[in-house]
mmCIF file of all heavy atoms in Angstrom:
data_model
loop_
_atom_site.group_PDB
_atom_site.id
_atom_site.type_symbol
_atom_site.label_atom_id
_atom_site.label_comp_id
_atom_site.label_asym_id
_atom_site.label_seq_id
_atom_site.Cartn_x
_atom_site.Cartn_y
_atom_site.Cartn_z
ATOM 1 N N PHE A 1 -9.868 -16.298 10.130
ATOM 2 C CA PHE A 1 -8.901 -16.597 11.194
ATOM 3 C C PHE A 1 -7.478 -16.514 10.663
ATOM 4 O O PHE A 1 -7.121 -17.176 9.700
ATOM 5 C CB PHE A 1 -9.164 -18.007 11.765
ATOM 6 C CG PHE A 1 -10.554 -18.144 12.296
ATOM 7 C CD1 PHE A 1 -11.521 -18.826 11.569
ATOM 8 C CD2 PHE A 1 -10.905 -17.560 13.517
ATOM 9 C CE1 PHE A 1 -12.812 -18.938 12.039
ATOM 10 C CE2 PHE A 1 -12.206 -17.674 13.981
ATOM 11 C CZ PHE A 1 -13.169 -18.365 13.257
ATOM 12 N N VAL A 2 -6.696 -15.700 11.333
ATOM 13 C CA VAL A 2 -5.314 -15.504 10.889
ATOM 14 C C VAL A 2 -4.504 -16.798 11.013
ATOM 15 O O VAL A 2 -3.618 -17.080 10.223
ATOM 16 C CB VAL A 2 -4.648 -14.378 11.729
ATOM 17 C CG1 VAL A 2 -3.241 -14.107 11.228
ATOM 18 C CG2 VAL A 2 -5.474 -13.105 11.656
ATOM 19 N N GLU A 3 -4.852 -17.609 12.059
ATOM 20 C CA GLU A 3 -4.049 -18.814 12.320
ATOM 21 C C GLU A 3 -4.208 -19.852 11.220
ATOM 22 O O GLU A 3 -3.315 -20.647 10.976
ATOM 23 C CB GLU A 3 -4.453 -19.468 13.663
ATOM 24 C CG GLU A 3 -4.134 -18.658 14.897
ATOM 25 C CD GLU A 3 -5.204 -17.608 15.189
ATOM 26 O OE1 GLU A 3 -6.348 -17.785 14.732
ATOM 27 O OE2 GLU A 3 -4.880 -16.610 15.854
ATOM 28 N N GLU A 4 -5.375 -19.851 10.562
ATOM 29 C CA GLU A 4 -5.627 -20.908 9.570
ATOM 30 C C GLU A 4 -4.959 -20.594 8.237
ATOM 31 O O GLU A 4 -5.006 -19.467 7.761
ATOM 32 C CB GLU A 4 -7.143 -21.058 9.341
ATOM 33 C CG GLU A 4 -7.816 -21.789 10.478
ATOM 34 C CD GLU A 4 -9.321 -21.963 10.209
ATOM 35 O OE1 GLU A 4 -9.737 -21.786 9.046
ATOM 36 O OE2 GLU A 4 -10.045 -22.251 11.166
ATOM 37 N N GLU A 5 -4.357 -21.619 7.681
ATOM 38 C CA GLU A 5 -3.734 -21.482 6.356
ATOM 39 C C GLU A 5 -4.862 -21.362 5.320
ATOM 40 O O GLU A 5 -5.834 -22.108 5.379
ATOM 41 C CB GLU A 5 -2.926 -22.758 6.088
ATOM 42 C CG GLU A 5 -2.141 -22.748 4.815
ATOM 43 C CD GLU A 5 -0.678 -22.370 5.025
ATOM 44 O OE1 GLU A 5 -0.293 -22.012 6.160
ATOM 45 O OE2 GLU A 5 0.057 -22.435 4.055
ATOM 46 N N PRO A 6 -4.761 -20.412 4.348
ATOM 47 C CA PRO A 6 -5.821 -20.333 3.335
ATOM 48 C C PRO A 6 -5.857 -21.605 2.482
ATOM 49 O O PRO A 6 -4.829 -22.257 2.285
ATOM 50 C CB PRO A 6 -5.418 -19.115 2.497
ATOM 51 C CG PRO A 6 -3.987 -18.847 2.812
ATOM 52 C CD PRO A 6 -3.739 -19.385 4.176
ATOM 53 N N GLN A 7 -7.055 -21.942 2.000
ATOM 54 C CA GLN A 7 -7.207 -23.169 1.202
ATOM 55 C C GLN A 7 -6.636 -22.951 -0.205
ATOM 56 O O GLN A 7 -6.836 -21.900 -0.796
ATOM 57 C CB GLN A 7 -8.689 -23.537 1.076
ATOM 58 C CG GLN A 7 -9.333 -23.973 2.391
ATOM 59 C CD GLN A 7 -8.589 -25.155 3.011
ATOM 60 O OE1 GLN A 7 -8.292 -26.130 2.323
ATOM 61 N NE2 GLN A 7 -8.262 -25.047 4.303
ATOM 62 N N PRO A 8 -5.915 -23.944 -0.738
ATOM 63 C CA PRO A 8 -5.401 -23.791 -2.112
ATOM 64 C C PRO A 8 -6.549 -23.744 -3.116
ATOM 65 O O PRO A 8 -7.569 -24.426 -2.919
ATOM 66 C CB PRO A 8 -4.555 -25.050 -2.329
ATOM 67 C CG PRO A 8 -4.535 -25.797 -1.051
ATOM 68 C CD PRO A 8 -5.512 -25.197 -0.112
ATOM 69 N N ASN A 9 -6.409 -22.939 -4.177
ATOM 70 C CA ASN A 9 -7.456 -22.904 -5.218
ATOM 71 C C ASN A 9 -7.208 -24.035 -6.221
ATOM 72 O O ASN A 9 -6.330 -24.879 -6.006
ATOM 73 C CB ASN A 9 -7.481 -21.528 -5.902
ATOM 74 C CG ASN A 9 -6.161 -21.200 -6.575
ATOM 75 O OD1 ASN A 9 -5.276 -22.043 -6.682
ATOM 76 N ND2 ASN A 9 -6.015 -19.963 -7.021
ATOM 77 N N GLU A 10 -7.956 -24.002 -7.341
ATOM 78 C CA GLU A 10 -7.868 -25.143 -8.277
ATOM 79 C C GLU A 10 -6.465 -25.313 -8.874
ATOM 80 O O GLU A 10 -6.089 -26.395 -9.307
ATOM 81 C CB GLU A 10 -8.931 -25.031 -9.393
ATOM 82 C CG GLU A 10 -8.816 -23.810 -10.311
ATOM 83 C CD GLU A 10 -9.473 -22.552 -9.708
ATOM 84 O OE1 GLU A 10 -9.903 -22.597 -8.531
ATOM 85 O OE2 GLU A 10 -9.531 -21.536 -10.412
ATOM 86 N N LYS A 11 -5.656 -24.243 -8.856
ATOM 87 C CA LYS A 11 -4.297 -24.386 -9.386
ATOM 88 C C LYS A 11 -3.323 -24.796 -8.289
ATOM 89 O O LYS A 11 -2.115 -24.865 -8.518
ATOM 90 C CB LYS A 11 -3.829 -23.064 -9.985
ATOM 91 C CG LYS A 11 -4.560 -22.691 -11.273
ATOM 92 C CD LYS A 11 -3.995 -21.391 -11.823
ATOM 93 C CE LYS A 11 -4.832 -20.908 -13.009
ATOM 94 N NZ LYS A 11 -4.659 -19.485 -13.244
ATOM 95 N N GLY A 12 -3.830 -24.977 -7.076
ATOM 96 C CA GLY A 12 -2.961 -25.367 -5.972
ATOM 97 C C GLY A 12 -2.215 -24.196 -5.356
ATOM 98 O O GLY A 12 -1.216 -24.384 -4.661
ATOM 99 N N ILE A 13 -2.718 -22.967 -5.614
ATOM 100 C CA ILE A 13 -2.045 -21.776 -5.062
ATOM 101 C C ILE A 13 -2.874 -21.207 -3.923
ATOM 102 O O ILE A 13 -4.092 -21.088 -4.026
ATOM 103 C CB ILE A 13 -1.849 -20.724 -6.184
ATOM 104 C CG1 ILE A 13 -0.775 -21.219 -7.161
ATOM 105 C CG2 ILE A 13 -1.453 -19.369 -5.598
ATOM 106 C CD1 ILE A 13 -0.650 -20.420 -8.411
ATOM 107 N N LYS A 14 -2.191 -20.902 -2.822
ATOM 108 C CA LYS A 14 -2.915 -20.337 -1.676
ATOM 109 C C LYS A 14 -2.922 -18.808 -1.801
ATOM 110 O O LYS A 14 -1.866 -18.197 -1.940
ATOM 111 C CB LYS A 14 -2.220 -20.758 -0.382
ATOM 112 C CG LYS A 14 -2.239 -22.265 -0.203
ATOM 113 C CD LYS A 14 -1.379 -22.700 0.944
ATOM 114 C CE LYS A 14 -1.392 -24.233 1.051
ATOM 115 N NZ LYS A 14 -0.471 -24.740 2.042
ATOM 116 N N GLU A 15 -4.137 -18.230 -1.779
ATOM 117 C CA GLU A 15 -4.245 -16.776 -1.972
ATOM 118 C C GLU A 15 -4.404 -16.056 -0.643
ATOM 119 O O GLU A 15 -5.209 -16.456 0.206
ATOM 120 C CB GLU A 15 -5.431 -16.460 -2.884
ATOM 121 C CG GLU A 15 -5.204 -16.915 -4.315
ATOM 122 C CD GLU A 15 -6.289 -16.430 -5.263
ATOM 123 O OE1 GLU A 15 -7.411 -16.173 -4.782
ATOM 124 O OE2 GLU A 15 -6.013 -16.296 -6.470
ATOM 125 N N ILE A 16 -3.654 -14.986 -0.454
ATOM 126 C CA ILE A 16 -3.731 -14.198 0.785
ATOM 127 C C ILE A 16 -4.264 -12.823 0.406
ATOM 128 O O ILE A 16 -3.810 -12.218 -0.575
ATOM 129 C CB ILE A 16 -2.332 -14.055 1.428
ATOM 130 C CG1 ILE A 16 -1.754 -15.455 1.703
ATOM 131 C CG2 ILE A 16 -2.376 -13.217 2.690
ATOM 132 C CD1 ILE A 16 -0.268 -15.440 1.990
ATOM 133 N N LEU A 17 -5.217 -12.323 1.185
ATOM 134 C CA LEU A 17 -5.810 -11.025 0.878
ATOM 135 C C LEU A 17 -4.853 -9.903 1.298
ATOM 136 O O LEU A 17 -4.361 -9.886 2.424
ATOM 137 C CB LEU A 17 -7.142 -10.873 1.629
ATOM 138 C CG LEU A 17 -7.913 -9.586 1.356
ATOM 139 C CD1 LEU A 17 -8.356 -9.526 -0.095
ATOM 140 C CD2 LEU A 17 -9.120 -9.468 2.264
ATOM 141 N N GLY A 18 -4.586 -8.980 0.377
ATOM 142 C CA GLY A 18 -3.700 -7.855 0.712
ATOM 143 C C GLY A 18 -3.317 -7.115 -0.551
ATOM 144 O O GLY A 18 -3.470 -7.641 -1.647
ATOM 145 N N SER A 19 -2.853 -5.888 -0.386
ATOM 146 C CA SER A 19 -2.460 -5.125 -1.559
ATOM 147 C C SER A 19 -0.977 -4.815 -1.483
ATOM 148 O O SER A 19 -0.529 -4.075 -0.618
ATOM 149 C CB SER A 19 -3.260 -3.834 -1.631
ATOM 150 O OG SER A 19 -2.676 -2.991 -2.575
ATOM 151 N N VAL A 20 -0.226 -5.412 -2.388
ATOM 152 C CA VAL A 20 1.225 -5.194 -2.405
ATOM 153 C C VAL A 20 1.519 -3.744 -2.789
ATOM 154 O O VAL A 20 2.368 -3.079 -2.204
ATOM 155 C CB VAL A 20 1.890 -6.138 -3.445
ATOM 156 C CG1 VAL A 20 3.386 -5.894 -3.506
ATOM 157 C CG2 VAL A 20 1.601 -7.579 -3.091
ATOM 158 N N PHE A 21 0.753 -3.261 -3.767
ATOM 159 C CA PHE A 21 1.117 -1.958 -4.305
ATOM 160 C C PHE A 21 0.836 -0.804 -3.344
ATOM 161 O O PHE A 21 1.494 0.227 -3.401
ATOM 162 C CB PHE A 21 0.447 -1.709 -5.658
ATOM 163 C CG PHE A 21 1.046 -0.528 -6.347
ATOM 164 C CD1 PHE A 21 2.369 -0.570 -6.780
ATOM 165 C CD2 PHE A 21 0.346 0.647 -6.515
ATOM 166 C CE1 PHE A 21 2.971 0.534 -7.382
ATOM 167 C CE2 PHE A 21 0.938 1.749 -7.112
ATOM 168 C CZ PHE A 21 2.253 1.687 -7.552
ATOM 169 N N SER A 22 -0.128 -0.994 -2.438
ATOM 170 C CA SER A 22 -0.420 0.088 -1.480
ATOM 171 C C SER A 22 0.815 0.444 -0.668
ATOM 172 O O SER A 22 1.056 1.610 -0.368
ATOM 173 C CB SER A 22 -1.540 -0.319 -0.531
ATOM 174 O OG SER A 22 -2.704 -0.521 -1.271
ATOM 175 N N PHE A 23 1.615 -0.584 -0.324
ATOM 176 C CA PHE A 23 2.848 -0.328 0.447
ATOM 177 C C PHE A 23 3.821 0.524 -0.381
ATOM 178 O O PHE A 23 4.391 1.490 0.107
ATOM 179 C CB PHE A 23 3.531 -1.649 0.816
ATOM 180 C CG PHE A 23 2.825 -2.385 1.901
ATOM 181 C CD1 PHE A 23 2.179 -3.581 1.641
ATOM 182 C CD2 PHE A 23 2.794 -1.882 3.199
ATOM 183 C CE1 PHE A 23 1.522 -4.264 2.647
ATOM 184 C CE2 PHE A 23 2.140 -2.565 4.215
ATOM 185 C CZ PHE A 23 1.502 -3.758 3.936
ATOM 186 N N VAL A 24 3.976 0.134 -1.648
ATOM 187 C CA VAL A 24 4.912 0.849 -2.520
ATOM 188 C C VAL A 24 4.439 2.292 -2.702
ATOM 189 O O VAL A 24 5.224 3.237 -2.692
ATOM 190 C CB VAL A 24 5.034 0.144 -3.886
ATOM 191 C CG1 VAL A 24 6.003 0.875 -4.800
ATOM 192 C CG2 VAL A 24 5.491 -1.290 -3.686
ATOM 193 N N GLU A 25 3.111 2.437 -2.826
ATOM 194 C CA GLU A 25 2.538 3.768 -3.034
ATOM 195 C C GLU A 25 2.783 4.658 -1.820
ATOM 196 O O GLU A 25 3.176 5.822 -1.955
ATOM 197 C CB GLU A 25 1.031 3.609 -3.259
ATOM 198 C CG GLU A 25 0.445 4.631 -4.176
ATOM 199 C CD GLU A 25 -0.943 4.206 -4.656
ATOM 200 O OE1 GLU A 25 -1.666 3.503 -3.920
ATOM 201 O OE2 GLU A 25 -1.304 4.588 -5.761
ATOM 202 N N ARG A 26 2.583 4.076 -0.648
ATOM 203 C CA ARG A 26 2.818 4.851 0.582
ATOM 204 C C ARG A 26 4.287 5.250 0.687
ATOM 205 O O ARG A 26 4.618 6.368 1.065
ATOM 206 C CB ARG A 26 2.457 4.003 1.821
ATOM 207 C CG ARG A 26 0.991 3.698 1.999
ATOM 208 C CD ARG A 26 0.332 4.578 3.053
ATOM 209 N NE ARG A 26 1.046 4.636 4.316
ATOM 210 C CZ ARG A 26 0.832 3.820 5.348
ATOM 211 N NH1 ARG A 26 -0.068 2.851 5.243
ATOM 212 N NH2 ARG A 26 1.498 3.975 6.463
ATOM 213 N N LEU A 27 5.143 4.319 0.316
ATOM 214 C CA LEU A 27 6.588 4.571 0.373
ATOM 215 C C LEU A 27 6.957 5.726 -0.570
ATOM 216 O O LEU A 27 7.725 6.633 -0.217
ATOM 217 C CB LEU A 27 7.328 3.301 -0.059
ATOM 218 C CG LEU A 27 8.822 3.237 0.233
ATOM 219 C CD1 LEU A 27 9.066 3.273 1.726
ATOM 220 C CD2 LEU A 27 9.403 1.955 -0.334
ATOM 221 N N ASP A 28 6.361 5.702 -1.759
ATOM 222 C CA ASP A 28 6.627 6.736 -2.747
ATOM 223 C C ASP A 28 6.143 8.106 -2.251
ATOM 224 O O ASP A 28 6.820 9.124 -2.418
ATOM 225 C CB ASP A 28 5.931 6.366 -4.063
ATOM 226 C CG ASP A 28 6.426 7.199 -5.220
ATOM 227 O OD1 ASP A 28 7.576 7.663 -5.157
ATOM 228 O OD2 ASP A 28 5.668 7.405 -6.180
ATOM 229 N N ASP A 29 4.957 8.113 -1.604
ATOM 230 C CA ASP A 29 4.434 9.370 -1.051
ATOM 231 C C ASP A 29 5.375 9.932 0.005
ATOM 232 O O ASP A 29 5.646 11.128 0.046
ATOM 233 C CB ASP A 29 3.045 9.151 -0.431
ATOM 234 C CG ASP A 29 1.985 8.931 -1.508
ATOM 235 O OD1 ASP A 29 2.249 9.323 -2.663
ATOM 236 O OD2 ASP A 29 0.922 8.366 -1.205
ATOM 237 N N GLU A 30 5.872 9.031 0.861
ATOM 238 C CA GLU A 30 6.784 9.474 1.926
ATOM 239 C C GLU A 30 8.091 10.016 1.326
ATOM 240 O O GLU A 30 8.647 10.988 1.807
ATOM 241 C CB GLU A 30 7.115 8.310 2.883
ATOM 242 C CG GLU A 30 5.952 7.881 3.754
ATOM 243 C CD GLU A 30 5.437 8.991 4.657
ATOM 244 O OE1 GLU A 30 6.260 9.787 5.163
ATOM 245 O OE2 GLU A 30 4.218 9.093 4.839
ATOM 246 N N PHE A 31 8.533 9.363 0.256
ATOM 247 C CA PHE A 31 9.759 9.800 -0.427
ATOM 248 C C PHE A 31 9.569 11.224 -0.965
ATOM 249 O O PHE A 31 10.417 12.093 -0.789
ATOM 250 C CB PHE A 31 10.064 8.823 -1.570
ATOM 251 C CG PHE A 31 11.180 9.256 -2.475
ATOM 252 C CD1 PHE A 31 12.484 9.317 -2.018
ATOM 253 C CD2 PHE A 31 10.939 9.608 -3.804
ATOM 254 C CE1 PHE A 31 13.528 9.710 -2.850
ATOM 255 C CE2 PHE A 31 11.965 10.003 -4.639
ATOM 256 C CZ PHE A 31 13.262 10.059 -4.160
ATOM 257 N N ASN A 32 8.400 11.448 -1.569
ATOM 258 C CA ASN A 32 8.093 12.786 -2.088
ATOM 259 C C ASN A 32 8.054 13.827 -0.988
ATOM 260 O O ASN A 32 8.559 14.927 -1.140
ATOM 261 C CB ASN A 32 6.741 12.756 -2.796
ATOM 262 C CG ASN A 32 6.910 12.960 -4.278
ATOM 263 O OD1 ASN A 32 8.023 13.197 -4.742
ATOM 264 N ND2 ASN A 32 5.833 12.879 -5.025
ATOM 265 N N LYS A 33 7.431 13.426 0.153
ATOM 266 C CA LYS A 33 7.331 14.354 1.286
ATOM 267 C C LYS A 33 8.712 14.709 1.794
ATOM 268 O O LYS A 33 8.996 15.859 2.096
ATOM 269 C CB LYS A 33 6.542 13.704 2.430
ATOM 270 C CG LYS A 33 5.060 14.005 2.376
ATOM 271 C CD LYS A 33 4.409 13.494 3.646
ATOM 272 C CE LYS A 33 2.993 13.041 3.344
ATOM 273 N NZ LYS A 33 2.371 12.337 4.447
ATOM 274 N N SER A 34 9.577 13.701 1.879
ATOM 275 C CA SER A 34 10.907 13.980 2.428
ATOM 276 C C SER A 34 11.685 14.905 1.491
ATOM 277 O O SER A 34 12.451 15.743 1.940
ATOM 278 C CB SER A 34 11.672 12.683 2.686
ATOM 279 O OG SER A 34 12.021 12.095 1.475
ATOM 280 N N LEU A 35 11.454 14.775 0.168
ATOM 281 C CA LEU A 35 12.117 15.694 -0.770
ATOM 282 C C LEU A 35 11.596 17.117 -0.598
ATOM 283 O O LEU A 35 12.355 18.082 -0.640
ATOM 284 C CB LEU A 35 11.885 15.248 -2.215
ATOM 285 C CG LEU A 35 12.707 14.077 -2.734
ATOM 286 C CD1 LEU A 35 12.285 13.724 -4.156
ATOM 287 C CD2 LEU A 35 14.196 14.377 -2.718
ATOM 288 N N LEU A 36 10.271 17.223 -0.386
ATOM 289 C CA LEU A 36 9.685 18.561 -0.239
ATOM 290 C C LEU A 36 10.139 19.234 1.045
ATOM 291 O O LEU A 36 10.197 20.448 1.130
ATOM 292 C CB LEU A 36 8.153 18.467 -0.251
ATOM 293 C CG LEU A 36 7.502 18.165 -1.597
ATOM 294 C CD1 LEU A 36 6.017 17.899 -1.430
ATOM 295 C CD2 LEU A 36 7.702 19.314 -2.569
ATOM 296 N N ASN A 37 10.452 18.416 2.059
ATOM 297 C CA ASN A 37 10.849 18.993 3.345
ATOM 298 C C ASN A 37 12.353 19.162 3.500
ATOM 299 O O ASN A 37 12.826 19.534 4.556
ATOM 300 C CB ASN A 37 10.317 18.129 4.495
ATOM 301 C CG ASN A 37 8.822 18.336 4.671
ATOM 302 O OD1 ASN A 37 8.367 19.463 4.826
ATOM 303 N ND2 ASN A 37 8.059 17.260 4.612
ATOM 304 N N THR A 38 13.102 18.850 2.440
ATOM 305 C CA THR A 38 14.565 19.009 2.508
ATOM 306 C C THR A 38 14.952 20.263 1.739
ATOM 307 O O THR A 38 14.351 20.545 0.699
ATOM 308 C CB THR A 38 15.261 17.788 1.855
ATOM 309 O OG1 THR A 38 14.697 16.609 2.408
ATOM 310 C CG2 THR A 38 16.750 17.788 2.137
ATOM 311 N N ASP A 39 15.944 20.973 2.223
ATOM 312 C CA ASP A 39 16.403 22.161 1.501
ATOM 313 C C ASP A 39 17.033 21.731 0.175
ATOM 314 O O ASP A 39 18.024 20.990 0.161
ATOM 315 C CB ASP A 39 17.433 22.900 2.371
ATOM 316 C CG ASP A 39 18.121 24.014 1.594
ATOM 317 O OD1 ASP A 39 17.535 24.456 0.585
ATOM 318 O OD2 ASP A 39 19.222 24.430 1.987
ATOM 319 N N PRO A 40 16.469 22.180 -0.956
ATOM 320 C CA PRO A 40 16.935 21.663 -2.249
ATOM 321 C C PRO A 40 18.375 22.040 -2.594
ATOM 322 O O PRO A 40 18.978 21.446 -3.475
ATOM 323 C CB PRO A 40 15.971 22.300 -3.255
ATOM 324 C CG PRO A 40 15.339 23.430 -2.536
ATOM 325 C CD PRO A 40 15.332 23.083 -1.099
#
């Protein structure tokens, strides 16, 4: 359930499922595409 706050683990840290790097990777791919589609 999205509404529920995740339970803290033994260190008291709440973990959220997700991949931070996938966003950066997609951004990098788009950056490359925009370079390829621009007149050098």
